[in-house]
């Protein structure tokens, strides 16, 4: 999570997660942290390049990149193809419609959600065409390309996963993307995706935990750094900066956060939270350990306790 650790620490955490036995690793792509207490926002693509060189087995993925405002889609396609080559075909490009938090910095304003979806569909069309090879000319309502070409295509085409939150985004993106991304364990969302998708898809979720042998410390840390998450994505996509998230969550109590995020060192609580995702139809699940300076003991616990318990409980 780029919002809670600097670039060197993130690279070290990625290597440690592979050693701990995780199967895949995702990276957020932010220009700003959600809250100033998190304190970080390095460039995700530079970090990914370094991560490809300290890992050799885990799959890698952006969770997620907005390819419409800070980045033009031709640049995203070039970055994704480069990471795929550097990682020897371990990369999936995760894309989404973005958040005001990260995209307003260009001074172009923040479009309404329907326009953001239109922009994302055009962007995915351009990226997919570039992954096909050859020169791409495109004239759309939001983007243009002039004889764009990826000169270093990887051996394996980069899969595209799209973030969705409801029927509208599923209907627009499932026919274009290879896999689904969502943050809520919504069985209806999975069924809707499968009904429209062009092929069998992975459904990739994520949820936070605050692992600590001192539960009170875990709750305090989760409240300090992750209370923003209780607003839901319809709110979180619209607020413009850390100060807005601080104001919006000033009445959120530590107990409110603890009711939504497993806190402490309770393996069963983590398994129960994860079970909601696979019961809804998700195939992959990324765990966020809250707190950039609390990764090492979490990775040790993941190797010894969490991963064995999750694998034993999950369906095949």
């Amino acid at each position: 999570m780029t919002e809670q650790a600097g670039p060197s620490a993130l690279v070290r955490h990625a290597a440690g997660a592979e050693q701990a036995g995780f199967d895949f690793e995702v990276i957020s792509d932010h220009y700003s942290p959600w809250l100033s207490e998190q304190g970080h926002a390095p460039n995700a693509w530079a970090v990914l390049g370094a991560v490809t060189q300290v890992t050799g087995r885990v799959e890698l993925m952006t969770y997620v990149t907005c390819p419409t405002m800070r980045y033009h889609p031709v640049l995203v396609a070039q970055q994704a193809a480069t990471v795929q080559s550097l990682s020897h075909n371990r990369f999936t490009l995760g894309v989404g419609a973005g958040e005001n938090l990260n995209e307003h910095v260009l001074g172009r304003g923040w479009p309404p959600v329907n326009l953001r979806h239109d922009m994302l569909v055009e962007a995915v069309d351009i990226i997919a065409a570039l992954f096909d090879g050859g020169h791409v000319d495109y004239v759309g309502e939001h983007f243009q390309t002039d004889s764009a070409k990826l000169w270093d295509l990887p051996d394996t085409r980069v899969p595209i996963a799209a973030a969705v939150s409801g029927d509208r985004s599923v209907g627009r993106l499932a026919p274009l993307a290879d896999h689904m991304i969502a943050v809520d364990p919504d069985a209806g969302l999975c069924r809707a995706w499968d009904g429209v998708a062009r092929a069998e898809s992975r459904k990739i979720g994520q949820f936070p935990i605050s692992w600590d042998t001192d539960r009170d410390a875990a709750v305090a840390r989760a409240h300090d750094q992750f209370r923003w998450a209780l607003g839901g994505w319809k709110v979180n996509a619209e607020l413009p900066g850390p100060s807005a998230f601080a104001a919006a969550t000033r009445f959120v109590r530590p107990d409110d956060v603890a009711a939504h995020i497993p806190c402490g060192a309770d393996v069963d609580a983590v398994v129960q939270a994860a079970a909601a995702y696979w019961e809804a139809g998700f195939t992959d699940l990324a765990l966020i350990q809250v707190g950039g300076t609390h990764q090492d003991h979490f990775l040790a616990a993941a190797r010894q306790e969490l991963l064995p318990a999750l694998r034993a409980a999950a369906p095949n």
Side-chain angles (χ1 to χ4, degrees):
M1 190 173 184
T2 58
E3 305 92 290
Q4 63 178 17
S8 296
L10 290 168
V11 174
R12 183 172 59 82
H13 299 159
E18 181 175 75
Q19 294 165 10
F22 282 91
D23 299 310
F24 78 111
E25 304 180 8
V26 306
I27 186 169
S28 59
D29 189 348
H30 272 237
Y31 195 86
S32 299
W34 300 100
L35 295 164
S36 60
E37 289 87 347
Q38 292 175 316
H40 297 277
N43 181 271
W45 292 94
V47 172
L48 269 174
V51 168
T52 66
Q53 303 305 293
V54 299
T55 60
R57 174 186 57 81
V58 289
E59 296 180 62
L60 303 172
M61 177 181 171
T62 49
Y63 201 111
V64 294
T65 289
C66 175
T68 62
M69 297 190 72
R70 277 184 301 142
Y71 308 117
H72 191 283
V74 298
L75 179 58
V76 173
Q78 183 189 39
Q79 292 172 147
T82 300
V83 171
Q84 180 77 313
S85 294
L86 285 170
S87 66
H88 302 291
N89 306 315
R90 291 184 283 132
F91 180 66
T92 294
L93 173 62
V95 297
E99 298 98 14
N100 194 11
L101 172 71
N102 302 301
E103 309 306 323
H104 80 275
V105 294
L106 273 65
R108 293 171 52 194
W110 184 234
V113 66
N114 61 318
L115 190 57
R116 300 199 302 265
H117 286 158
D118 290 343
M119 295 170 72
L120 181 57
V121 167
E122 282 195 16
V124 172
D125 282 340
I126 292 169
I127 292 167
L130 287 165
F131 288 168
D132 286 339
H135 292 86
V136 176
D137 296 300
Y138 186 94
V139 179
E141 185 176 349
H142 305 287
F143 300 106
Q144 298 183 24
T145 69
D146 179 11
S147 194
K149 174 183 170 69
L150 296 179
W151 289 92
D152 287 281
L153 282 172
D155 296 333
T156 300
R157 182 188 179 93
V158 180
I160 299 174
V164 296
S165 58
D167 290 341
R168 178 187 300 176
S169 52
V170 167
R172 300 293 302 278
L173 294 166
L176 303 177
D178 301 293
H179 307 298
M180 185 189 95
I181 295 170
V183 295
D184 294 320
D186 185 341
L189 204 59
C190 292
R191 288 193 297 270
W193 180 278
D194 286 339
V196 184
R198 60 191 179 186
E200 185 175 352
S201 302
R202 295 165 73 174
K203 290 90 174 173
I204 305 160
Q206 72 168 17
F207 76 93
I209 65 175
S210 186
W211 185 269
D212 202 303
T213 53
D214 183 338
R215 187 177 186 277
D216 290 341
V219 171
R221 187 169 70 249
H223 178 261
D224 182 56
Q225 296 197 24
F226 234 84
R227 63 188 185 275
W228 62 271
L230 272 64
W233 287 106
K234 288 187 177 181
V235 173
N236 293 344
E238 304 299 333
L239 297 180
S243 60
F245 281 93
T249 59
R250 65 189 183 277
F251 297 122
V252 175
R253 302 167 302 174
D255 286 348
D256 298 326
V257 178
H260 289 83
I261 297 175
C263 295
D266 186 343
V267 173
D268 290 339
V270 177
V271 172
Q272 183 178 1
Y277 286 85
W278 63 64
E279 289 169 359
F282 283 77
T283 61
D284 301 79
L285 186 57
L287 307 181
I288 300 172
Q289 162 67 348
V290 176
T293 60
H294 291 76
Q295 300 298 311
D296 292 337
H297 72 282
F298 165 72
L299 292 175
R303 180 191 302 112
Q304 297 164 8
E305 302 177 73
L306 280 174
L307 287 175
L310 286 166
R311 290 189 172 115
N316 292 330

